[in-house]
Amino acid sequence: MERSGRRPAAPVTVTVDLVIFTVRQDQLQVLLVERGNEPYRGSAALPGGFVRDGETLDEAALRELLEETALDGRRLHLEQLHAYSDPERDPRGRVITVAYLALGSDLPFPAAGTDAARAYWTPISSALDGGMALAFDHAAILRDGLERARSQLEHTTVAAAFCPEPFTVGDLRRIYEAVWGFKLDPSNFRRKMTRAEGFLEPTGERRFPEVGRPAALYRRGSASLLIPPLLRSSEIPPLSNDQSSMGVRIV
Amino acid sequence: MERSGRRPAAPVTVTVDLVIFTVRQDQLQVLLVERGNEPYRGSAALPGGFVRDGETLDEAALRELLEETALDGRRLHLEQLHAYSDPERDPRGRVITVAYLALGSDLPFPAAGTDAARAYWTPISSALDGGMALAFDHAAILRDGLERARSQLEHTTVAAAFCPEPFTVGDLRRIYEAVWGFKLDPSNFRRKMTRAEGFLEPTGERRFPEVGRPAALYRRGSASLLIPPLLRSSEIPPLSNDQSSMGVRIV
DNA sequence: CCCAATTCAGGTCTAACTGACCATAAGCCG
DNA sequence: CGGCTTATGGTCAGTTAGACCTGAATTGGG
C-alpha cells in the first residue's frame, strides 16, 4: 500500500455473504433468505450482513453463520471465496462484499429466532435455473461458490464435512455425486478413498441400512488434502452454467 | 445481504495490494516498493493503493499495475488472491485490503515516473527470509501469493505467462523450477507438456542458444487448464534423504 | 579437425493408477 | 426360498509417471 496521501480514501461499506451448502436427500442445497428490506425486498438472497467495527471478515462470516444456522462452527468448513465490487452491484451505494463458502453436514433448518425474514434450503438446481432471480449479484456468487466446492472435492477431504459422523463410503460417494452432479462407480470410488492416506479412519462398526448389505463406518481422518486427487475428468458434464465472474479479463 | 437497517454500516477504507511475480535469471522475483509515507515509512511493502470511487477491485488492481510497471496488460495474468481484514493490520484505522496476484514475463524495471518512492525487484527468498521486514501484513500476503502461484502452475497454463514469446520447452521448465524451487527432469517435463492439449503451439522455428543443441520454439496455446495436471508430488520426504520422485530440492 | 561440454529430443522399462466391468457378500422382503 | 439392493473386492487393459538411457545438434577449445 503506497501513496496514502494522494487521493482521499473513498469510504466503502463492506459486507460478507455466505454460500452455505449442505446435502439433503442426495441433493446439494443452499441456504437462501427472503429479503425483508429494500432493495430487493421479498427477493431471495444469500444470507449475510455488514462487517462490524473491530471484526475480521472471518469473524463476521462466522457470526452470520451462527445467526443463520445456529451452528457450532467446529465441524464445518468455512473459507473465503471472492470479493465482489461492481460499483453498481448495490443500489444503495458503494458496497463491496466478501463471499464465503461454508460446507456442513445435515445442517438444521434455520432457527426461528433469527432476524432474517425467512430462511430456507433450496436445491442449487432451482436456485440457479433462472426461475428464481437472486438479489444483487448473488447468482454469480452462488455459481462461483458451486464451482469452488466442486473443485475442492477434487483436491481436499472437505467432502467429509458434509457427512455426519460416523459415515460410510457410500455416504461419501453420494456427497460427491450430489455436488458434482453425476454418478460415480461405487467400486472404483471405494478403492480410491480407502487408499488415500488419512482420509477415512475405520471405526470397526457397521451400519445396517433399510436395504442392502451393511456398510463399514468411518470417521474423518487427519488429512486435509486428498492425495492423489480425484479429478472429475471426462465424465458426463453436469448442469453447466459457466458464467463465472472470477478472474480478470484483460485486453 | 440482509438486515440492512439493524446496525450502522461501519465505514471502511479498502485498498488493493499486488503480489507481482516475474522470473529473471532463473529466479522468482517480486516487486516491492519502499514506502514514502507513514506508517512504515522507509520499509519495504507490496505495491498497491486505495480503491477509487466507481472503480471495481479488478480495475483498481489493473490501474496500480500499470502505474507500477508501465505494463501492457496483454501478456500478464492477474487474479484476486484474498482479502485481509485484521482490524489492527493498519495503524491508521480500519483498512481492508484485497490482494491480487500478477504474473508477467520479463517485466521491465519500474518506470522512473511512478509515484512510488522506489520500486525494485527482489528474489522471493530474500523477501521472505525474515531479514527484510515487510510493512503491514505483507509478508503473509506474499507467502499466500507464492503458494497460490505454485499451485496454479500445477493445474493451469499460466506458467507461459512468465515466458516472453516465443519460448522453448526449456524456458518453460526453468519457470517451473524457479517457482517451485526444485529441479525437474527435462525429459519427462517435455513429454508432459508437449502432450497437454492446447498448451504449446509449435512455431516451426528454432532458437540457437549460446551453448547446446537448438530448441524448438513455441507459442502459448489456447488452453487455460493443464490437463492432466502436473502435480509437485515430490514434496516433503518425511524421513531420509529420499530425493523425491520428480526432482531434487534446491533453495 | 576432433573432442568435450551442453542442451535438446526422443525412447525404454516398470510401477502405479484409472476406468470398465464382473463376482460375491450380506442384508431385506415377500 | 428367490429376488432386490447395496457393499466389498477382484480382474484386466489402457494410461501415466518417474527413473534412466541414447543419440542429435550446436558451441568452444585444443
Side-chain angles (χ1 to χ4, degrees):
Chain A
M1 228 180 45
E2 191 49 34
R3 229 162 307 105
S4 34
R6 285 256 334 283
R7 286 242 171 188
V12 171
T13 302
V14 177
T15 62
V16 294
D17 285 312
L18 299 173
V19 179
I20 311 174
F21 283 137
T22 197
V23 174
R24 301 177 159 261
Q25 302 144 357
D26 294 344
Q27 248 190 346
L28 182 63
Q29 306 204 341
V30 62
L31 189 70
L32 296 181
V33 299
E34 184 183 315
R35 284 186 54 78
N37 300 61
E38 293 297 339
Y40 296 102
R41 173 178 222 134
S43 288
L46 297 172
F50 293 109
V51 176
R52 297 181 185 167
D53 250 351
E55 200 178 42
T56 67
L57 292 165
D58 289 0
E59 287 162 0
L62 270 172
R63 175 175 53 74
E64 293 291 339
L65 190 64
L66 287 169
E67 291 178 3
E68 300 295 346
T69 67
L71 195 70
D72 102 351
R74 233 172 311 275
R75 44 187 55 174
L76 106 185
H77 174 85
L78 184 67
E79 69 176 54
Q80 200 185 104
L81 186 57
H82 198 78
Y84 299 82
S85 59
D86 187 327
E88 314 293 331
R89 65 176 293 281
D90 191 320
R92 289 167 296 185
R94 183 61 152 148
V95 180
I96 290 178
T97 196
V98 179
Y100 276 77
L101 176 64
L103 310 178
S105 66
D106 200 27
L107 296 185
F109 281 94
T114 62
D115 38 15
R118 211 161 59 92
Y120 52 95
W121 294 105
T122 316
I124 35 111
S125 45
S126 11
L128 280 180
D129 72 357
M132 170 183 292
L134 294 184
F136 307 105
D137 48 4
H138 288 188
I141 298 177
L142 179 53
R143 275 194 299 270
D144 292 344
L146 176 59
E147 180 46 39
R148 173 78 134 259
R150 284 177 171 164
S151 166
Q152 288 281 44
L153 258 54
E154 294 185 310
H155 308 284
T156 74
T157 61
V158 286
F162 282 105
C163 292
E165 279 183 318
F167 55 91
T168 69
V169 177
D171 293 339
L172 193 61
R173 176 171 48 82
R174 281 181 282 274
I175 297 295
Y176 274 86
E177 293 175 344
V179 176
W180 283 353
F182 51 83
K183 296 277 182 202
L184 298 171
D185 181 278
S187 185
N188 294 336
F189 182 83
R190 133 175 294 277
R191 179 178 61 193
K192 181 90 181 171
M193 290 301 152
T194 51
R195 285 192 189 170
E197 199 126 337
F199 196 170
L200 300 180
E201 196 174 288
T203 66
E205 308 282 308
R206 289 191 305 162
R207 173 186 297 161
F208 297 78
E210 306 273 319
V211 57
R213 174 175 170 174
L217 288 168
Y218 297 85
R219 253 188 291 280
R220 290 183 266 273
S222 54
S224 65
L225 290 179
L226 178 58
I227 303 173
L230 175 54
L231 304 173
R232 30 171 186 161
S233 45
S234 48
E235 298 292 343
I236 314 147
L239 30 111
S240 179
N241 337 30
D242 253 326
Q243 183 100 114
S244 170
S245 55
M246 309 197 22
V248 181
R249 220 160 272 289
I250 302 177
V251 168
Chain B
M1 232 180 45
E2 193 46 35
R3 229 162 306 103
S4 34
R6 283 263 325 290
R7 286 244 172 190
V12 172
T13 302
V14 177
T15 62
V16 295
D17 286 312
L18 298 174
V19 179
I20 311 175
F21 284 137
T22 197
V23 174
R24 299 177 159 262
Q25 302 144 356
D26 294 344
Q27 248 191 347
L28 183 62
Q29 306 203 341
V30 63
L31 188 71
L32 297 181
V33 300
E34 183 183 314
R35 283 186 55 77
N37 300 61
E38 292 297 340
Y40 295 102
R41 173 177 221 136
S43 288
L46 296 172
F50 293 108
V51 176
R52 298 182 185 166
D53 249 352
E55 200 178 42
T56 67
L57 292 165
D58 289 359
E59 287 162 0
L62 272 172
R63 174 176 52 74
E64 294 290 339
L65 188 65
L66 288 170
E67 291 177 4
E68 301 293 346
T69 67
L71 194 72
D72 101 352
R74 233 171 309 276
R75 43 186 57 170
L76 109 185
H77 173 85
L78 184 67
E79 70 176 54
Q80 200 185 104
L81 187 56
H82 198 78
Y84 297 83
S85 59
D86 187 328
E88 314 293 331
R89 63 177 294 281
D90 190 319
R92 288 167 295 186
R94 183 61 152 149
V95 180
I96 290 178
T97 196
V98 179
Y100 276 77
L101 176 64
L103 310 177
S105 67
D106 199 27
L107 296 185
F109 281 95
T114 62
D115 39 14
R118 211 161 58 90
Y120 51 94
W121 294 104
T122 316
I124 35 109
S125 45
S126 11
L128 280 179
D129 72 357
M132 169 183 292
L134 294 183
F136 306 104
D137 49 2
H138 287 188
I141 298 177
L142 178 54
R143 272 193 300 273
D144 292 347
L146 176 59
E147 179 48 37
R148 174 77 135 259
R150 285 178 171 164
S151 166
Q152 288 281 41
L153 258 54
E154 293 186 311
H155 308 286
T156 73
T157 60
V158 285
F162 282 105
C163 293
E165 278 182 319
F167 56 90
T168 70
V169 177
D171 294 340
L172 192 62
R173 177 171 48 82
R174 280 181 283 273
I175 297 295
Y176 273 86
E177 293 175 344
V179 176
W180 282 355
F182 51 83
K183 296 274 184 203
L184 298 171
D185 182 279
S187 185
N188 293 336
F189 182 83
R190 134 174 293 278
R191 179 179 60 193
K192 182 89 179 171
M193 290 301 152
T194 52
R195 285 192 190 169
E197 200 126 338
F199 196 169
L200 300 180
E201 196 174 287
T203 66
E205 308 282 308
R206 289 192 304 162
R207 172 185 298 161
F208 297 79
E210 306 274 317
V211 57
R213 173 177 172 173
L217 287 168
Y218 297 86
R219 253 188 291 279
R220 290 183 266 273
S222 54
S224 66
L225 289 179
L226 177 58
I227 304 173
L230 174 54
L231 305 173
R232 24 174 193 162
S233 52
S234 17
E235 235 45 77
I236 38 175
L239 8 105
S240 93
N241 50 0
D242 170 47
Q243 287 291 21
S244 92
S245 26
M246 192 154 175
V248 178
R249 288 209 157 263
I250 53 182
V251 173

